[in-house]
Amino acid sequence: MGPTAHALRPIRPKALVSHRATAYPAAAASAAAMASSSSRPMLRRLAELARGRVRANHRMLSSAFPSTAAIERASQSPAEAQAVRMTEGCVRRLKELHAKEPSAEGKMLRLSVEAGGCSGFQYSFALDDKKNSDDRVFETDGVKLVVDDISYDFVKGATVDYEEELIRSAFVVSTNPSAVGGCSCKSSFMVK
């Protein structure tokens, strides 16, 4: 083979490193850098594959072993599991409202679901003193929460809380097993 044929033949980085590492150390380092840069996309693909496997295993394990919330729901009677609950913060705030405002005394917190909002449905809270024939009443520590029959289908097993933040303070539905997602303001949601 002549000198021109040898010059046209491509040199592989690994071959360059192994055969000429002792004669040309700078060339060996350059070839090693080229070899490692060509393996980076492969490393990324392997990392993505590993992450995907970890996620799949996590999903499989979480479905095989129930969460503590699922265990609590399973230990409850069907009526308790479908009840709309109030947190201590919600009960405390309603008691404060009853004590501070004479017009609020004896009123119940009404939770209703309306079409609209940024996610499809939105929660609406109001103080109400009347109970309709189709209302469901949930009582905790002397404080009552009222949900109409149509809205109840959207909030079975939900938990109502009172949150105080810098920009607003409001009653919110903190957990809702019937909701898939919602907006960050916790006032609207999507149904499963």
Side-chain angles (χ1 to χ4, degrees):
M1 206 170 8
T4 55
H6 181 46
L8 296 176
R9 187 176 55 160
I11 298 175
R12 290 189 215 139
K14 287 184 181 179
L16 182 65
V17 171
S18 62
H19 295 293
R20 307 228 175 140
T22 55
Y24 304 103
S30 173
M34 284 176 39
S36 68
S37 69
S38 67
S39 66
R40 282 192 184 133
M42 179 181 251
L43 288 175
R44 283 189 190 122
R45 288 192 304 257
L46 287 173
E48 289 173 14
L49 178 67
R51 277 193 296 267
R53 297 292 277 167
V54 167
R55 279 191 219 110
N57 288 341
H58 181 16
R59 280 193 301 269
M60 181 179 67
L61 287 173
S62 63
S63 67
F65 300 105
S67 66
T68 55
I71 292 170
E72 287 176 11
R73 282 193 301 270
S75 66
Q76 296 172 343
S77 70
E80 289 175 336
Q82 305 237 335
V84 180
R85 290 173 289 287
M86 290 181 280
T87 64
E88 290 178 19
C90 178
V91 171
R92 183 177 39 242
R93 179 60 181 156
L94 283 169
K95 286 183 175 182
E96 288 172 4
L97 288 172
H98 290 160
K100 287 181 183 177
E101 297 179 29
S103 63
E105 190 173 343
K107 290 192 175 183
M108 303 172 282
L109 179 65
R110 179 172 292 281
L111 167 61
S112 57
V113 175
E114 301 170 353
C118 36
S119 298
F121 293 95
Q122 63 185 2
Y123 302 111
S124 176
F125 291 96
L127 290 177
D128 198 353
D129 57 354
K130 62 182 176 179
K131 179 187 168 295
N132 300 324
S133 61
D134 67 337
D135 285 343
R136 295 178 189 242
V137 179
F138 304 97
E139 187 170 346
T140 304
D141 200 17
V143 175
K144 294 180 182 177
L145 173 73
V146 181
V147 182
D148 65 271
D149 203 34
I150 294 171
S151 298
Y152 176 71
D153 289 335
F154 294 100
V155 294
K156 287 179 187 173
T159 303
V160 177
D161 194 9
Y162 182 76
E163 290 184 354
E164 293 183 82
E165 298 173 354
L166 289 175
I167 57 173
R168 74 178 186 134
S169 298
F171 291 103
V172 295
V173 175
S174 59
T175 58
N176 185 355
S178 300
V180 173
C183 67
S184 61
C185 66
K186 295 183 182 176
S187 65
S188 69
F189 66 101
M190 293 178 284
V191 179
K192 285 184 180 177

